[in-house]
């Protein structure tokens, strides 16, 4: 397919451009042009009027949605997740595991590999696996099951990677383990992106782990030692860093909007918006399971029934973007990068994903002037439409 997109605005990689035309050919973006050149033969123009064209969103930390969870060990659940995510503007995602036993994780990795290698039509694409656990410590366990916590073991990652067909792209670890530094170094040598999470490390421990390869701080402020003026902790390690990335859950519950704002404004090109969504995402309030833990959702906030810990979220990534537009002084293009280009950068996929730059895969969204999602396109093909959904429900 070869066509031009016409709209009032385009969220480009570094700025919001008004008007013009964006070429799409064979599932990839061409150049944006202020004026359409004379072409022969005539190439179709899709005119979206006052709409905004934006890059597809990339959720690099998501456990579940629509009643389905990655840890269900069920291809039906994974298919449901992939099918629902385009309605939230997500075109790419990393199915994310929870702390569990090795046998369960092996099975989960095999199932996700099937989804990656045989993607569904009209669905978001899984781009790899994020292994969140079991290499954590108990003080900041959150909704992870401490029964399965263990020291970092690269041999176990190798087994899981073999089961996944090489699709594990991101692994989290608690930085205070003595084994953390050599473990992260081995991940980096293998081309796997290291992350720090559910950790009570001090600044020195976290700094060593970060320099060894732990370049992604998982759901910053949550599940880690906080910032103190005499002990910077894991949070301070990120704020002091130059090149690390930090995930933020921008729902206003996990992190106060003011803290979200100053963190994002301090390092906008290193901030990643995630959902950390569990199976209650896109579902009503009620009782759910997150792994083996009972969770109650009230007012969209998920907490474990045992101790009231926050248990993931029900946030949708497009809503996280809208929240950050409200809560920060950053422009729309800068905020949008946090949910598209920055996530792709954090896992080394920005060469083909994350923006409307020429040569990249043509994942894009069509938004109304009030930022309501109208259409979702993946690789140059429409996979979701609000109008078609409305018609189907009538």
């Amino acid at each position: 397919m070869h066509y031009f997109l016409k709209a009032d605005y385009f969220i480009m990689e570094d700025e919001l451009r008004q008007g013009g035309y964006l070429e799409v050919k064979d599932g990839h973006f061409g150049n944006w042009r202020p004026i359409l050149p004379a072409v022969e033969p005539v190439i179709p123009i899709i005119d979206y009027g006052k709409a905004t064209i934006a890059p597809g969103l990339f959720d690099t930390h998501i456990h579940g949605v629509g009643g389905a969870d990655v840890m269900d060990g069920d291809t039906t659940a994974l298919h449901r997740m992939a099918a629902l995510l385009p309605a939230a503007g997500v075109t790419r995602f990393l199915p994310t595991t929870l702390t569990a036993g090795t046998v369960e994780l092996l099975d989960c990795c095999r199932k996700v590999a099937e989804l990656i290698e045989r993607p569904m039509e009209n669905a978001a694409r899984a781009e790899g696996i994020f292994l969140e656990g079991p290499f954590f410590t108990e003080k900041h366990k959150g909704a992870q099951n401490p029964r399965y916590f263990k020291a970092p073991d690269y041999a176990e990652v190798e087994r899981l990677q073999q089961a996944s067909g090489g699709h594990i792209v991101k692994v989290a670890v608690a930085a205070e383990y003595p084994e953390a530094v050599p473990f992260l170094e081995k991940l980096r040598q293998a081309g796997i992106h290291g992350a720090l999470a559910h950790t009570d490390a001090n600044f020195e421990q976290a700094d060593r782990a970060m320099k060894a390869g732990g370049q992604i701080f998982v759901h910053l402020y949550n599940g880690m030692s906080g910032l103190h003026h005499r002990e910077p902790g894991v949070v301070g390690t990120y704020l002091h860093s130059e090149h690390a990335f930090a995930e933020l859950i921008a729902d206003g519950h996990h992190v106060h909007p003011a803290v979200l704002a100053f963190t994002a404004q301090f390092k906008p090109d290193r901030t990643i918006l995630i959902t950390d969504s569990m199976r209650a995402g896109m579902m009503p309030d009620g009782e759910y399971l997150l792994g083996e833990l009972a969770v109650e959702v009230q007012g969209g906030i998920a907490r474990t029934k045992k101790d009231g810990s926050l248990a993931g979220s029900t946030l949708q990534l497009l809503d996280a973007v809208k929240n950050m537009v409200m809560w920060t002084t950053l422009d729309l293009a800068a905020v949008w990068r946090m949910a598209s280009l920055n996530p792709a950068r954090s896992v080394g996929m920005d060469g083909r994903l994350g923006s409307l730059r020429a040569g990249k895969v043509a994942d894009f969204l069509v938004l109304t002037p009030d930022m309501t999602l109208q259409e979702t396109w993946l690789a140059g093909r429409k996979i979701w439409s609000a109008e078609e959904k409305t018609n189907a429900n009538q």
Side-chain angles (χ1 to χ4, degrees):
M1 295 175 64
H2 189 189
Y3 52 88
F4 284 95
L5 302 172
K6 182 178 184 294
D8 264 13
Y9 293 96
F10 291 85
I11 302 178
M12 304 303 292
E13 191 164 299
D14 54 357
E15 64 180 347
L16 182 66
R17 294 183 187 171
Q18 187 168 5
Y21 302 81
L22 179 63
E23 184 178 17
V24 178
K25 185 176 182 181
D26 298 330
H28 291 76
F29 292 119
N31 292 314
W32 174 89
R33 311 160 191 256
I35 300 173
L36 192 64
V39 289
E40 197 62 45
V42 175
I43 299 172
I45 299 171
I46 304 176
D47 189 346
Y48 283 109
K50 296 185 179 299
T52 296
I53 305 297
L57 303 178
F58 191 169
D59 196 343
T60 54
H61 185 162
I62 177 170
H63 297 280
V65 71
D69 190 282
V70 172
M71 296 304 295
D72 288 345
D74 182 350
T75 53
T76 301
L78 292 168
H79 287 169
R80 178 167 175 78
M81 288 180 63
L84 285 173
L85 287 173
V90 174
T91 54
R92 310 278 166 167
F93 69 110
L94 297 185
T96 304
T97 66
L98 285 167
T99 293
T102 302
V103 172
E104 186 178 358
L105 287 172
L106 286 166
D107 184 58
C108 179
C109 287
R110 293 187 189 101
K111 294 294 194 303
V112 177
E114 292 177 19
L115 178 70
I116 294 170
E117 293 170 8
R118 292 188 288 278
M120 299 169 59
E121 294 289 324
N122 301 324
R125 292 285 175 87
E127 288 292 327
I129 298 168
F130 171 24
L131 197 67
E132 191 187 9
F135 311 121
F136 297 148
T137 52
E138 191 161 350
K139 183 172 181 179
H140 298 284
K141 67 181 185 298
Q144 299 279 346
N145 193 336
R147 173 184 174 188
Y148 301 105
F149 287 172
K150 63 179 70 175
D153 181 356
Y154 186 71
E156 180 163 347
V157 172
E158 286 183 310
R159 288 183 64 196
L160 294 169
Q161 185 68 299
Q162 184 176 8
S164 77
H167 292 299
I168 295 174
V169 300
K170 178 178 170 183
V171 176
V173 62
E176 63 266 42
Y177 279 112
E179 300 89 346
V181 167
F183 176 80
L184 287 162
E185 288 173 342
K186 288 178 180 178
L187 290 179
R188 182 163 57 186
Q189 291 165 5
I192 300 172
H193 297 269
L196 306 183
H198 297 283
T199 171
D200 193 40
N202 60 32
F203 178 84
E204 289 74 22
Q205 291 168 328
D207 188 60
R208 286 193 295 269
M210 179 189 67
K211 290 173 180 174
Q215 289 287 303
I216 303 169
F217 287 68
V218 176
H219 41 54
L220 189 71
Y221 300 105
N222 298 110
M224 61 183 61
S225 52
L227 177 68
H228 186 276
H229 59 285
R230 285 190 292 272
E231 174 44 67
V234 178
V235 170
T237 307
Y238 167 70
L239 295 174
H240 186 255
S241 71
E242 294 184 13
H243 304 297
F245 290 91
E247 301 177 349
L248 289 177
I249 306 172
D251 61 359
H253 306 299
H254 283 77
V255 182
H256 191 282
V259 178
L260 288 166
F262 81 66
T263 304
Q265 288 163 189
F266 178 51
K267 295 203 286 188
D269 289 329
R270 293 288 155 177
T271 299
I272 306 166
L273 297 182
I274 60 158
T275 62
D276 196 13
S277 176
M278 47 89 72
R279 70 174 73 246
M282 295 185 172
M283 296 288 283
D285 285 359
E287 295 186 359
Y288 297 88
L289 283 175
L290 180 61
E292 299 176 2
L293 303 181
V295 173
E296 185 169 8
V297 179
Q298 293 185 355
I301 304 172
R303 295 184 181 275
T304 57
K305 295 187 72 175
K306 182 178 180 180
D307 59 13
S309 297
L310 286 167
S313 85
T314 63
L315 181 66
Q316 294 183 33
L317 197 51
L318 182 56
D319 290 332
V321 172
K322 294 176 182 178
N323 288 341
M324 294 299 276
V325 169
M326 287 191 300
W327 295 336
T328 73
T329 59
L330 296 166
D331 62 37
L332 178 59
V335 172
W336 203 274
R337 284 196 297 272
M338 297 177 186
S340 56
L341 184 59
N342 292 359
R345 283 175 175 159
S346 74
V347 289
M349 298 182 189
D350 53 306
R352 62 184 182 89
L353 300 173
S355 71
L356 307 183
R357 176 176 284 186
K360 291 192 179 186
V361 178
D363 292 357
F364 63 90
L365 311 181
V366 182
L367 305 167
T368 63
D370 67 353
M371 288 187 69
T372 298
L373 182 62
Q374 185 176 342
E375 294 178 2
T376 301
W377 291 63
L378 185 142
R381 191 174 62 84
K382 183 166 61 177
I383 61 171
W384 183 87
S385 166
E387 181 179 0
E388 292 172 6
K389 179 184 177 183
T390 300
N391 292 338
N393 291 335
Q394 290 177 348

